[in-house]
Amino acid sequence: MTARVQPPAQSDHTASYYAASSLPQPVLPALQGELRADVCVVGGGFSGLNTAIELAQRGLSVVLLEAHKIGWGASGRNGGQLIRGVGHGVDQFSNVIGTDGVRQLKLMGLEAVEIVRQRVEQFQIPCDLTWGYCDLANKPRDLEGFAEDAAELRELGYRHETRLLQADEMHSVVGSNRYVGGLIDMGSGHLHPLNLALGEAAAAQQLGVQLFEQSAVTRIDYGPEVKVHTAQGTVRAKTLVLGCNAYLNHLNPELSGKVLPAGSYIIATEPLSEAQAHALLPQNMAVCDQRVALDYYRLSADRRLLFGGACHYSGRDPADIGAYMRPKMLEVFPQLVGVKIDYQWGGMIGIGANRLPQIGRLADQPNVYYAQAYSGHGVNATHLAGKLLAEAISGQQGGGFDLFANVPHMTFPGGKHLRSPLLALGMLWHRMKELI
Ligand SMILES: Cc1cc2nc3c(=O)[nH]c(=O)nc-3n(C[C@H](O)[C@H](O)[C@H](O)COP(=O)(O)OP(=O)(O)OC[C@H]3O[C@@H](n4cnc5c(N)ncnc54)[C@H](O)[C@@H]3O)c2cc1C
């Protein structure tokens, strides 16, 4: 089977605070000529990089192809919130993978954060990793959910401190009157995602992975040996991994049909004084509220407020992201009215219908593996996906790959043009439920 594709659309990655504050970015070559490898990985985000690292650690030769720059996609632009868990409401899958399977998924959601911790420690990646996170309750029923989450974490043997907060304790975490409670988790936290990606790219190189930038895959010849084409080169490999998430476009229509790309946006203020920053987030935690189009925010290492939110399905970014996001920030922190916005940017989240990351292999092409659809919660889950894919590819049995691969994922009906309006309708329904 052969698929002809266009390279992914450009969007402005350089506008982000992360691009402006990143480690020196190496200029990696574009692929030229023909290479052979055990595995060809497509996508230079966390999914691709971590799969490559884990494969190289198991002794396989790996070529990684990135259409733009390492971390150009969601991995280099996200909120930097490293939060425990995979998926949402994973108990719904017990009819497919059993209650034991569900329990394993929950444990893997905790392990996913530990993989990031180990990566940062092992490769000494300077990505401002800071521990401490708080779920914010918008309504009393959110707080009831947090109490259940805390009980479940205890039952799973979670080794990090968690603590429920009532409304009158919220100012110890966030200087806003909007919330009726919270759940602190000291095993989750925040980091500089682009620097994590760059550090992981350097680690992959040290392990012998050949990395290429500006090397969009334009065509794939599938078969027992895959042949992967870029404008100026080809890679022949026994195994292919697709880690392109919301930027996959037409490279593989079967997989992109299961992911809805949705725009999310972030603003970064000018650096705040110590007193200002302390008044906003006294314990320097990352925080998220519970609404469908949630607010997520945290402080950067140089004390900017990085405030993210929204969820756009139209494929069109707001004309002025700063003007669009600023009122959302001021609703939470009216005291920031005179503060300047230094950076504004957006990126694409890949949403799946059941919100469980899609980790598997193609039914008709068993040497083609993929990981995608983290539904806005991928900083940890991508790292787990890399491990699971590498275990499966290298023939290690008993890992969690099969659990993920056995969960079916719906293809959104109507192709690319109908997918977004359908999701918009679905979101409207969820937002209406929030108001009830
Ligand atoms: C604004 C925003 C905020 C977010 N905040 C958080 C957060 O705080 N916490 C959290 O856990 N998650 C967050 N997420 C989600 C998280 O960033 C993603 O789930 C995760 O980064 C996905 O990583 P990935 O490697 O799968 O995809 P990406 O990082 O998007 O990488 C895919 C790569 O594939 C490349 N590619 C595509 N097509 C081709 C091709 N044909 N040839 C070669 N390369 C190709 C792209 O150029 C891209 O670099 C956020 C996402 C966004 C957009």
Side-chain angles (χ1 to χ4, degrees):
M1 183 170 76
T2 295
R4 283 197 171 277
V5 294
Q6 299 296 318
Q10 287 284 345
S11 92
D12 196 358
H13 161 64
T14 54
S16 85
Y17 159 72
Y18 301 126
S21 60
S22 79
L23 299 168
Q25 297 196 32
V27 180
L28 297 170
L31 178 71
Q32 307 254 342
E34 184 167 301
L35 285 181
R36 280 180 184 275
D38 292 324
V39 186
C40 177
V41 174
V42 186
F46 292 142
S47 294
L49 290 167
N50 284 282
T51 307
I53 287 174
E54 296 270 355
L55 287 166
Q57 286 173 330
R58 288 168 175 76
L60 281 88
S61 62
V62 185
V63 170
L64 183 148
L65 302 173
E66 163 53 45
H68 304 282
K69 300 281 295 170
I70 293 297
W72 176 91
S75 299
R77 314 181 191 194
N78 60 62
Q81 307 218 355
L82 173 63
I83 308 170
R84 66 174 194 279
V86 286
H88 184 79
V90 293
D91 288 304
Q92 65 181 295
F93 306 117
S94 62
N95 59 340
V96 188
I97 56 173
T99 45
D100 274 1
V102 166
R103 185 179 165 79
Q104 281 186 57
L105 281 186
K106 289 176 181 172
L107 287 169
M108 283 192 276
L110 308 182
E111 181 196 354
V113 173
E114 295 308 313
I115 298 172
V116 179
R117 184 196 297 268
Q118 286 160 15
R119 205 68 94 222
V120 172
E121 283 174 9
Q122 182 184 355
F123 297 104
Q124 297 287 298
I125 301 175
C127 61
D128 308 327
L129 178 55
T130 305
W131 296 107
Y133 166 77
C134 189
D135 282 312
L136 304 174
N138 300 87
K139 297 183 166 189
R141 74 166 175 243
D142 297 333
L143 201 48
E144 288 163 25
F146 294 170
E148 286 165 22
D149 292 347
E152 183 174 278
L153 287 169
R154 276 194 299 279
E155 193 277 320
L156 290 170
Y158 192 51
R159 67 183 177 96
H160 302 287
E161 180 196 342
T162 58
R163 194 154 60 86
L164 274 176
L165 297 180
Q166 300 302 321
D168 59 354
E169 300 169 285
M170 285 312 289
H171 275 250
S172 68
V173 170
V174 55
S176 171
N177 294 328
R178 268 171 83 90
Y179 309 107
V180 301
L183 174 60
I184 287 179
D185 169 12
M186 295 309 293
S188 296
H190 54 103
L191 49 75
H192 188 304
L194 181 56
N195 283 349
L196 177 61
L198 293 171
E200 290 177 340
Q205 270 189 316
Q206 276 170 35
L207 292 163
V209 175
Q210 297 184 71
L211 299 170
F212 296 94
E213 292 183 332
Q214 308 300 341
S215 300
V217 173
T218 52
R219 204 180 92 205
I220 299 167
D221 299 334
Y222 294 96
E225 181 188 67
V226 283
K227 192 170 177 192
V228 180
H229 300 260
T230 66
Q232 298 171 60
T234 52
V235 180
R236 289 175 183 275
K238 287 180 228 140
T239 304
L240 176 67
V241 175
L242 294 173
C244 302
N245 199 28
Y247 295 95
L248 181 66
N249 291 325
H250 307 294
L251 189 58
N252 185 297
E254 180 186 339
L255 291 179
S256 54
K258 295 179 191 296
V259 179
L260 282 162
S264 186
Y265 305 97
I266 304 180
I267 49 177
T269 64
E270 61 186 318
L272 304 174
S273 70
E274 243 173 75
Q276 274 176 312
H278 188 263
L280 302 185
L281 291 160
Q283 299 186 52
N284 194 13
M285 289 184 183
V287 298
C288 271
D289 75 15
Q290 300 305 301
R291 292 165 315 134
V292 176
L294 77 175
D295 292 337
Y296 51 92
Y297 49 94
R298 68 183 184 94
L299 294 169
S300 63
D302 59 354
R303 289 199 307 266
R304 299 169 188 276
L305 179 70
L306 269 51
F307 191 95
C311 213
H312 272 207
Y313 313 101
S314 62
R316 283 190 303 275
D317 294 336
D320 181 342
I321 293 171
Y324 177 72
M325 290 301 297
R326 192 183 174 86
K328 296 180 190 293
M329 177 184 79
L330 293 179
E331 270 180 48
V332 179
F333 295 124
Q335 61 268 46
L336 292 182
V337 67
V339 165
K340 258 179 58 208
I341 303 301
D342 279 352
Y343 301 95
Q344 50 191 50
W345 70 97
M348 300 304 267
I349 286 174
I351 297 184
N354 62 19
R355 292 178 63 187
L356 186 72
Q358 299 167 8
I359 301 173
R361 89 179 117 206
L362 296 182
D364 56 346
Q365 306 291 345
N367 59 344
V368 179
Y369 292 75
Y370 58 86
Q372 60 180 22
Y374 303 98
S375 301
H377 185 173
V379 174
N380 70 336
T382 44
H383 287 71
L384 176 72
K387 177 178 173 231
L388 298 182
L389 290 176
E391 284 175 351
I393 292 167
S394 63
Q396 268 174 270
Q397 303 293 323
F401 175 84
D402 288 339
L403 279 181
F404 277 93
N406 286 340
V407 173
H409 297 282
M410 190 188 99
T411 298
F412 290 99
K416 193 178 170 201
H417 297 293
L418 205 64
R419 261 184 266 148
S420 295
L422 272 179
L423 184 68
L425 215 60
M427 297 294 285
L428 191 63
W429 164 242
H430 284 294
R431 281 186 197 161
M432 278 166 57
K433 282 205 301 189
E434 277 173 1
L435 299 175
I436 297 169

